[in-house]
Amino acid sequence: MVLAAFFRQHIAQRQKTTDLALRECRYDALVIGAGALNYHTEDDRSYPFRSYHHFNHWCPARGPNHLLLIRPGQKPTLLAHMPLDFWHEHADLSDAFWLSEFEMKSFATEDEIWAQVKSLPFTAYIGPDKNRAESYGLKTETSNLLARLNWERSFKSDYEIKCTVRSTRRAATGHVAAREAFFAGGSELDIHHAYIRAMRCTDYHLPYETIVCLNEKASILHYQRKRDKTRMGKTFLIDAGFQYKGYASDITRSYAADEAPEEFRSLLSGMSKLQQRLCLLIKPGLSFEHLHAQAHSEIAHLLIEHDLIRGISHESAVELGLSAVFFPHGLGHMLGLCVHDVGGTQTDRTGAVAPSTGRFKNLRTRRILDAGNLITVEPGIYFIDLLLGPQKVGANATYFNWALIEQLAPCGGIRIEDDVLVTRSGIRNITREFLP
Ligand code: GLY
Ligand code: MN
């Protein structure tokens, strides 16, 4: 089936689930805004534009100021902004593969677009331009509706899975090139360029700035620099994805050169197996918080096995927060149009929040997993000064093998991340299909 056919199904599903949500919240219609350009303060340059994610859920049209009008039982209307502008390209949408699913009307000015949604009966607006929407009589206190739309977002349609597969395939080509650039002795900047060049894209297609870390910088979870002087790294962590029609892939790999300490190389191999074991535990009905707890337990085991922690059981190491010193972030998150996608904390479509044991504050989703959810699985072990420092003088200091920690700290850390679709019988690990 071609993408357009998958898209047709996707829109039919959106129509059905959105009609239900509108009925439940007693709205007659819904307007979704793509959003406007945002400018740097006192400057005429704008920040890179990203369409509002719920707009993207319906429509892949790029660019600002479009509105979508969704009415139960009617074909959705795209009110497209086609300004008379000779500074920028405004793509002709007439041959877009998705256009036949919409009634499209084009307007040269924003005022003309907004005039189309003025004085509609009880109509909700979601998007970034709330003040303007209110001035046109649209309802913007929409938390009930948003909870339902966010909930539906967490069940991926076949179209969305196709897009995720394409975004993964592209990211995998970048990851392969990045790995080669690392083993060839490249700098962080070289590796970043190799990644982008292999994917044949610009920054526009990056779902987030690439995280490219040589050596000790791998201990900075979202390290943003690209050093050019440091080369011939001993260890390497890359966290980078691609965005296809708005759908993100989010992939992390860690590597060690032959010159890296043997202890680190074996820790990396242990972490690779651990990450795959965690992926295979996933099935519908599993609580992601439980999987996160399992990750802590396994990471504590690994730390003890490698003598980074000693004189304590793995249960107590987790209980005392020792595993969290090395693994301070959540095991994963929902993935989709947002890299950290919506709906992660809900237990149902009305927006009820998942009860928490309160043990893991940094966990971005505590969902009971269900078929159709797309999540990342990204355990890590890092040598982070800011977290290790206080332990040196704390009550648990004797449980840490400080000599070994000092020896491995220049290696930075390890994270391995796959994007996993929950299926009726278990999982489909989309990342491993392209990056074994
Ligand atoms: N890829 C960055 C993150 O998941 O936070
Ligand atoms: Mn991630």
Side-chain angles (χ1 to χ4, degrees):
M1 207 154 74
V2 293
L3 199 60
F6 283 105
F7 187 71
R8 172 160 294 185
Q9 282 180 351
H10 172 76
I11 290 297
Q13 286 162 2
R14 301 288 61 78
Q15 197 82 56
K16 204 163 134 207
T17 54
T18 306
D19 287 4
L20 172 64
L22 289 174
R23 241 188 350 266
E24 286 172 335
C25 301
R26 301 181 193 287
Y27 289 110
D28 294 317
L30 169 65
V31 171
I32 310 179
L37 289 176
N38 279 308
Y39 289 87
H40 294 258
T41 308
E42 296 166 11
D43 197 342
D44 63 357
R45 282 177 312 139
S46 61
Y47 293 93
F49 178 74
R50 296 279 180 188
S51 302
Y52 175 51
H53 45 86
H54 276 296
F55 180 92
N56 257 178
H57 197 211
W58 280 86
C59 180
R62 278 198 199 189
N65 304 323
H66 308 312
L67 294 181
L68 274 173
L69 174 58
I70 318 285
R71 284 167 294 198
Q74 292 188 42
K75 199 170 190 179
T77 305
L78 171 62
L79 304 167
H81 189 211
M82 290 293 163
L84 306 174
D85 167 16
F86 47 79
W87 291 92
H88 306 102
E89 184 188 46
H90 296 275
D92 172 20
L93 299 176
S94 59
D95 60 355
F97 75 90
W98 45 264
L99 192 66
S100 57
E101 304 313 311
F102 298 91
E103 204 71 66
M104 188 175 86
K105 298 179 186 166
S106 297
F107 301 91
T109 69
E110 294 177 49
D111 286 344
E112 287 172 279
I113 294 181
W114 281 86
Q116 304 297 309
V117 298
K118 197 177 165 84
S119 314
L120 288 171
F122 202 67
T123 298
Y125 169 86
I126 58 172
D129 304 325
K130 287 206 169 50
N131 291 342
R132 190 168 202 173
E134 274 169 26
S135 73
Y136 279 82
L138 304 175
K139 311 294 171 209
T140 59
E141 181 21 75
T142 54
S143 45
N144 279 353
L145 179 64
L146 261 183
R148 287 162 171 84
L149 300 179
N150 287 345
W151 180 258
E152 298 297 350
R153 280 269 295 280
S154 60
F155 298 95
K156 302 302 190 253
S157 68
D158 289 344
Y159 164 75
E160 295 180 291
I161 295 165
K162 262 272 181 288
C163 290
T164 306
V165 165
R166 291 187 183 188
S167 114
T168 305
R169 183 190 297 139
R170 281 290 268 285
T173 63
H175 272 266
V176 169
R179 179 176 61 204
E180 282 167 10
F182 162 65
F183 282 109
S187 68
E188 288 164 357
L189 191 64
D190 289 330
I191 296 169
H192 169 77
H193 287 157
Y195 183 78
I196 300 282
R197 193 179 328 111
M199 295 199 306
R200 304 205 65 73
C201 72
T202 65
D203 287 0
Y204 175 82
H205 283 104
L206 296 180
Y208 52 94
E209 199 179 325
T210 61
I211 300 168
V212 175
C213 318
L214 289 180
N215 305 336
E216 79 287 356
K217 298 297 184 191
S219 70
I220 302 172
L221 301 182
H222 283 176
Y223 172 65
Q224 63 282 49
R225 269 174 61 200
K226 309 281 182 284
R227 293 177 297 176
D228 199 20
K229 291 214 170 96
T230 307
R231 292 166 181 277
M232 309 295 288
K234 290 186 180 162
T235 63
F236 171 44
L237 182 156
I238 175 165
D239 181 339
F242 186 80
Q243 219 166 6
Y244 183 80
K245 307 284 175 227
Y247 288 89
S249 46
D250 177 7
I251 303 171
T252 311
R253 290 291 181 264
S254 298
Y255 303 98
D258 289 344
E259 297 73 30
E262 186 47 43
E263 289 83 351
F264 186 84
R265 293 166 60 80
S266 96
L267 191 65
L268 175 55
S269 140
M271 180 55 105
S272 299
K273 293 185 193 119
L274 184 162
Q275 191 264 359
Q276 288 295 282
R277 277 200 303 279
L278 291 174
C279 288
L280 291 174
L281 292 176
I282 292 174
K283 58 180 184 205
L286 178 76
S287 146
F288 200 74
E289 191 168 14
H290 283 147
L291 191 65
H292 180 77
Q294 178 68 22
H296 267 282
S297 166
E298 296 223 11
I299 284 171
H301 256 300
L302 194 65
L303 291 166
I304 291 166
E305 191 185 317
H306 288 78
D307 200 29
L308 284 155
I309 289 179
R310 42 169 60 161
I312 189 168
S313 69
H314 72 277
E315 291 97 339
S316 305
V318 175
E319 211 53 51
L320 290 179
L322 307 191
S323 55
V325 172
F326 295 92
F327 174 44
H329 59 75
L331 177 65
H333 50 85
M334 311 294 276
L335 179 68
L337 290 164
C338 302
V339 178
H340 300 152
D341 212 16
V342 295
T345 55
Q346 290 181 220
T347 50
D348 66 18
R349 56 190 282 108
T350 70
V353 171
S356 163
T357 60
R359 283 174 71 201
F360 306 115
K361 290 188 208 69
N362 291 340
L363 194 54
R364 284 192 167 94
T365 179
R366 288 181 273 112
R367 286 277 289 252
I368 306 297
L369 297 175
D370 204 350
N373 296 162
L374 180 66
I375 51 163
T376 69
V377 180
E378 47 181 309
I381 287 181
Y382 313 88
F383 301 97
I384 303 174
D385 278 346
L386 210 61
L387 301 180
L388 287 165
Q391 298 295 331
K392 281 193 182 140
V393 292
N396 301 322
T398 55
Y399 297 129
F400 293 83
N401 180 348
W402 293 112
L404 185 56
I405 289 171
E406 203 171 309
Q407 189 200 331
L408 298 191
C411 301
I414 299 167
R415 176 164 69 253
I416 298 167
E417 174 178 31
D418 288 342
D419 305 338
V420 169
L421 178 71
V422 184
T423 64
R424 283 207 197 97
S425 56
I427 61 158
R428 174 176 174 194
N429 187 328
I430 295 176
T431 307
R432 295 284 163 165
E433 291 174 14
F434 300 97
L435 205 61

